[in-house]
Amino acid sequence: MRQYNPSQRILVTGGAGFLGSHLCERLIARGHDVLCVDNFFTGTKQNVAHLLGNPHFELMRHDVTFPLFVEVDQIYNLACPASPVHYQHDPVQTTKTSVHGAINMLGLAKRLGAKIFQASTSEVYGDPSVHPQPEAYWGHVNPIGLRSCYDEGKRCAETLFFDYHRQHQLQIKVARIFNTYGPRMHPNDGRVVSNFIVQALKGEDITIYGDGQQTRSFCYVSDLIDGILRLMATGADFTGPVNLGNPDEFTMRQLAELVIQITGSRSQLVFRPLPADDPRQRRPDIRLATDRLGWSPSVALRDGLQLTVAYFDRLLACASITPDEAHSG
């Protein structure tokens, strides 16, 4: 017999962002009432415009570095710029978003007795000396580099979550999210998938940093959201952190060549110096997610890229709308 699952009131911070908007959709489809909170620094109203008329959806402009007073049953904390271009734009604010945002959302969860999810990141592993990266690996992070505002901010947020769990018996769930891609990525966020696709569709040279042999693993957004929901549904005995990502590993050159093939572009590859502290390899060990969540990604890179290319193709095809204007909110 199917278990009865009553509707819940759910807060999603960063809900108008790439991942947050997909999460809001899935939660509403499950019959929940969703309060989407975003300050629209990287998130956009366009990402959730199709939900605005839904009676189960509410949108609020708010910055999580300030306290929020609402009544909800669950909290998903996704608020934080996640691409180097955006999180390095105002590094102090990035750290504040991770740390003060976590404090404010944990305080809210404590007051309400609500279960709370933290969107952590594979960046907590830094430039790893262990490959692939298991959850037990403590990382290799530069605490004073250009990426530190994000890397160390997320590490501190994890510390806060586990201290609230130990000190206040708060129900927490922490996921370390690896590279994720799909529709609604910002076209100018500096991430490799969006960069390569936009450059290929415009017929521009595709920029590869380094020699192109550094590796990443790419998880399609629908797979990632499924993993998040499975984690949130686990019992109080399982907190994480748990890696969520696709364990298939590709070099930057392989990704660029696949994008060129899918788009039919005549773009050429050009190589530039590798940015400081850029990891040489990144691949999740997902055995814990498979064992405890019954989760593993199912969308192959080629299939996911085809869907993502179609999204960017439609975006760029709007003759009177530039990518910046389309995402200006």
Side-chain angles (χ1 to χ4, degrees):
M1 180 180 294
R2 187 174 181 180
Q3 187 175 7
Y4 175 63
N5 183 26
S7 174
Q8 292 192 310
R9 300 163 298 173
I10 299 178
L11 167 63
V12 180
T13 70
F18 164 47
L19 295 181
S21 62
H22 285 278
L23 177 60
C24 287
E25 268 183 348
R26 291 280 287 274
L27 291 170
I28 290 171
R30 292 187 169 198
H32 300 301
D33 292 320
V34 172
L35 172 58
C36 170
V37 167
D38 208 296
N39 69 350
F40 303 116
F41 174 59
T42 57
T44 71
K45 291 179 182 177
Q46 180 181 338
N47 284 340
V48 293
H50 61 295
L51 300 175
L52 290 176
N54 192 307
H56 297 287
F57 180 78
E58 182 179 356
L59 178 62
M60 176 190 296
R61 183 189 291 269
H62 181 81
D63 189 322
V64 296
T65 61
F66 297 94
L68 180 63
F69 301 98
V70 295
E71 301 295 322
V72 294
D73 302 304
Q74 290 187 358
I75 301 168
Y76 289 81
N77 186 36
L78 278 67
C80 190
S83 72
V85 167
H86 291 139
Y87 66 64
Q88 291 174 14
H89 172 72
D90 188 344
V92 172
Q93 184 63 25
T94 295
T95 303
K96 285 183 176 180
T97 300
S98 287
V99 178
H100 292 186
I103 290 170
N104 288 330
M105 291 306 105
L106 287 163
L108 177 62
K110 178 188 172 188
R111 178 177 71 83
L112 299 173
K115 184 187 294 186
I116 182 169
F117 168 87
Q118 167 66 4
S120 191
T121 172
S122 60
E123 298 296 336
V124 301
Y125 298 123
D127 189 4
S129 57
V130 173
H131 192 74
Q133 293 81 57
E135 291 84 355
Y137 176 54
W138 290 356
H140 178 223
V141 178
N142 178 359
I144 59 171
L146 292 175
R147 303 170 69 99
S148 306
C149 58
Y150 185 68
D151 300 2
E152 296 288 33
K154 288 289 190 177
R155 286 164 69 94
C156 185
E158 284 197 18
T159 300
L160 287 162
F161 265 70
F162 279 89
D163 283 338
Y164 264 79
H165 171 65
R166 287 185 287 259
Q167 189 171 337
H168 303 296
Q169 293 73 54
L170 203 62
Q171 290 190 71
I172 66 166
K173 306 292 177 183
V174 177
R176 291 175 177 166
I177 297 171
F178 283 67
N179 291 56
T180 305
Y181 70 100
R184 299 187 201 141
M185 294 184 78
H186 195 295
N188 298 320
D189 67 3
R191 297 191 215 192
V192 65
V193 171
S194 50
N195 271 3
F196 286 2
I197 290 175
V198 170
Q199 289 173 334
L201 289 173
K202 289 183 173 182
E204 300 172 351
D205 289 339
I206 290 182
T207 307
I208 295 179
Y209 294 96
D211 59 8
Q213 296 307 304
Q214 66 270 38
T215 66
R216 295 292 185 273
S217 303
F218 303 100
C219 185
Y220 189 66
V221 62
S222 61
D223 282 334
L224 189 279
I225 298 301
D226 182 53
I228 290 174
L229 293 172
R230 285 174 182 247
L231 173 59
M232 200 61 158
T234 57
D237 65 317
F238 186 65
T239 60
V242 58
N243 290 336
L244 294 179
N246 194 314
D248 294 336
E249 191 174 8
F250 297 87
T251 68
M252 296 299 93
R253 184 167 193 135
Q254 286 176 318
L255 176 67
E257 290 171 347
L258 184 54
V259 167
I260 289 173
Q261 186 182 111
I262 291 171
T263 58
S265 175
R266 295 183 179 180
S267 297
Q268 301 297 310
L269 304 183
V270 295
F271 296 86
R272 299 284 185 265
L274 194 67
D277 300 326
D278 193 58
R280 292 291 306 178
Q281 54 187 6
R282 185 64 63 68
R283 175 182 155 211
D285 181 331
I286 64 167
R287 287 177 293 180
L288 183 61
T290 301
D291 292 344
R292 294 300 301 264
L293 310 181
W295 178 86
S296 61
S298 61
V299 179
L301 181 60
R302 175 180 289 274
D303 296 335
L305 283 178
Q306 288 174 334
L307 295 169
T308 310
V309 165
Y311 166 77
F312 280 114
D313 198 25
R314 290 192 299 272
L315 189 68
L316 298 176
C318 297
S320 61
I321 302 178
T322 67
D324 284 333
E325 290 167 344
H327 284 75
S328 65

